[in-house]
Amino acid sequence: MKFNTKLIHGNYMENETGATNTPIYFSNAYKHESAEKLENIFKGTSMGYAYSRLTNPTITAFERRIASIEGGLAATAASSGMSAIYLAIMNVVESGDEIIASAGLFGGTYTLLRNLNSYGITVKFLEALDRESITNAITDKTKLVFGETIGNPKMDVLDLEEVSKVCKENNILFIVDSTVTTPYLIKPLEYGVDVVIHSTSKYINGTSNSIGGIIVDGGTEKLKSDRYLNFKQYAKMYGKMSFTGKLKATVGRDIGAAVSPLNSFFNLTGIETLALRMKEHCKNTLDVAEYLIESSKVSAVNYPLLKTSKYYELAKKYYIKGASGVITFRLGSKENCFKFINNLKFIANVTNIGDTKTLVIHPASTICAGNTIEEKEQMGVYEDLIRLSVGIEDVEDIIADIENGLNAI
Ligand SMILES: *Cc1c(COP(=O)(O)O)cnc(C)c1O
């Protein structure tokens, strides 16, 4: 099956009624004919459902669809992108361990990692995830390298192949957040990444109607090594799929961040149009970028597929279909940013990205307000920075509205 077909049919889960849409199973619990049957489900020796914090048919259908689209062995849905990131990390690290991460991460992820300090976990934030910096940062205690395919909102492009190689040579797990890029633009597992995470609240859902996250396991032999003593028993039981095996048996169960079956249904519906939407997001964003570059009121237009971007060469290598719908630029002052935002007509001043609608935000005073000035700069966030998430409206209308904002400066 090719990509567009998989979006609609990949790993389709039959249901007893023949309903063409996945039924929404609003049930916490499931009846079983015998005590032995339920015992076997709990033992993992028999397929079946026990309790919706652990498994639910609608959630399973969504997990299977995403696993198929990403080319993974298994996927585990979570109640938000943040909980997906938290679960994936806590599945691997223990007190005393170290993580290597890009300093240009999404604000929420940066804060999450920084706060792990109080659990005795050290995070080394690197200016850039390149061979030399990673190699210098690795110790016996390093358990994972974490980055974003394209950073939100730094718009830096991760060299997936190179970082995968370094991680492979050192037998260290490589986890990537691909929220901005989606499986339509890139499938990180194909480049040697071990685990891929999405906030499904963004492009996967598509219309911002539900919060959710997902963790996709590409399968790995790395967890069999002595670096990961905490995986020994799971590696024996689950082989290449020990990441998911441990996740479902430990932190997944302990923390219980299950996504709603309704959200899973919305995501299954949303993902069917992912390819169509992403094509438009990418095309419109390039047009918006070209318009912004021409404006005397705008500087530092930042989009990886612009020749002026530091990441142009990498973007051309990895993002032949487009570099998604997020773009940032600078307007000279915070005051100008506020004037710009306050004079937009339909472009909405909101926190998220990845909606069909065009969205705008002033990151420094909002999503990154909890970060220090140094941290903000590492994330590519300045006092005069605007982030746009370009939607799929007619681009003439988007540009006309941007002009409304710029005319007010
Ligand atoms: C939004 C976002 C998250 C967090 O996801 P939620 O669903 O809001 O919890 C994580 N990573 C990136 C890149 C994001 O854009």
Side-chain angles (χ1 to χ4, degrees), residues 21-123:
N21 281 311
T22 303
I24 306 167
Y25 288 92
F26 264 130
S27 183
N28 294 355
Y30 308 82
K31 264 199 307 202
H32 297 282
E33 302 93 61
S34 68
E36 289 78 8
K37 180 110 196 275
L38 194 53
E39 181 190 34
N40 288 335
I41 290 171
F42 269 84
K43 274 203 292 203
T45 53
S46 158
M47 284 292 287
Y49 298 92
Y51 190 56
S52 286
R53 168 157 50 73
L54 311 173
T55 45
N56 167 290
T58 316
I59 300 173
T60 303
F62 174 56
E63 292 173 337
R64 288 169 53 113
R65 177 65 43 88
I66 295 284
S68 154
I69 292 164
E70 281 286 10
L73 295 181
T76 307
S79 57
S80 67
M82 290 315 303
S83 64
I85 294 168
Y86 187 74
L87 290 176
I89 288 171
M90 296 314 273
N91 192 36
V92 182
V93 295
E94 292 180 341
S95 179
D97 286 343
E98 294 175 5
I99 296 171
I100 295 173
S102 156
L105 294 174
F106 171 73
T109 310
Y110 190 99
T111 316
L112 183 160
L113 291 174
R114 193 187 61 193
N115 291 345
L116 291 181
N117 223 323
S118 48
Y119 300 98
I121 295 151
T122 310
V123 183

Side-chain angles (χ1 to χ4, degrees), residues 205-343:
N205 174 273
T207 50
S208 306
N209 63 31
S210 22
I211 298 285
I214 199 147
I215 304 162
V216 189
D217 181 353
T220 178
E221 305 287 344
K222 289 176 185 169
L223 299 169
K224 292 180 178 162
S225 88
D226 285 347
R227 188 182 286 276
Y228 299 99
L229 292 174
N230 52 347
F231 274 88
K232 274 267 148 29
Q233 92 186 78
Y234 301 97
K236 256 189 225 133
M237 276 161 71
Y238 301 103
K240 280 179 78 166
M241 264 184 45
S242 60
F243 184 90
T244 299
K246 180 170 183 293
L247 181 68
K248 293 209 189 271
T250 61
V251 277
R253 185 175 288 236
D254 298 344
I255 292 171
V259 69
S260 159
L262 184 64
N263 290 12
S264 304
F265 173 83
F266 284 142
N267 293 339
L268 275 165
T269 310
I271 196 131
E272 294 193 3
T273 56
L274 182 74
L276 299 178
R277 286 185 281 109
M278 291 314 290
K279 265 182 218 159
E280 292 301 307
H281 283 297
C282 292
K283 189 159 66 67
N284 283 354
T285 310
L286 257 187
D287 287 351
V288 166
E290 275 153 22
Y291 165 80
L292 289 170
I293 284 174
E294 294 301 318
S295 168
S296 58
K297 294 176 180 169
V298 173
S299 68
V301 180
N302 186 9
Y303 187 64
L305 278 172
L306 291 179
K307 289 207 176 73
T308 47
S309 167
K310 211 166 113 182
Y311 305 101
Y312 180 66
E313 288 305 319
L314 279 175
K316 262 200 332 190
K317 171 177 172 184
Y318 290 108
Y319 298 103
I320 28 177
K321 288 197 268 187
S324 195
V326 183
I327 182 169
T328 68
F329 53 93
R330 298 176 72 169
L331 290 177
S333 67
K334 176 179 174 184
E335 199 187 4
N336 283 348
C337 291
F338 276 35
K339 275 191 203 157
F340 173 78
I341 292 173
N342 292 341
N343 283 281

Side-chain angles (χ1 to χ4, degrees), residues 78-85 105-109 146 148-153 177-181 197-203 210-214 326 351-354 387:
S79 57
S80 67
M82 290 315 303
S83 64
I85 294 168
L105 294 174
F106 171 73
T109 310
F146 189 96
E148 288 172 17
T149 47
I150 294 184
N152 169 20
D177 178 342
S178 181
T179 301
V180 169
T181 45
I197 299 175
H198 293 280
S199 160
T200 58
S201 324
K202 315 292 172 53
Y203 291 107
S210 22
I211 298 285
I214 199 147
V326 183
T351 311
N352 62 324
I353 60 164
R387 182 188 73 188

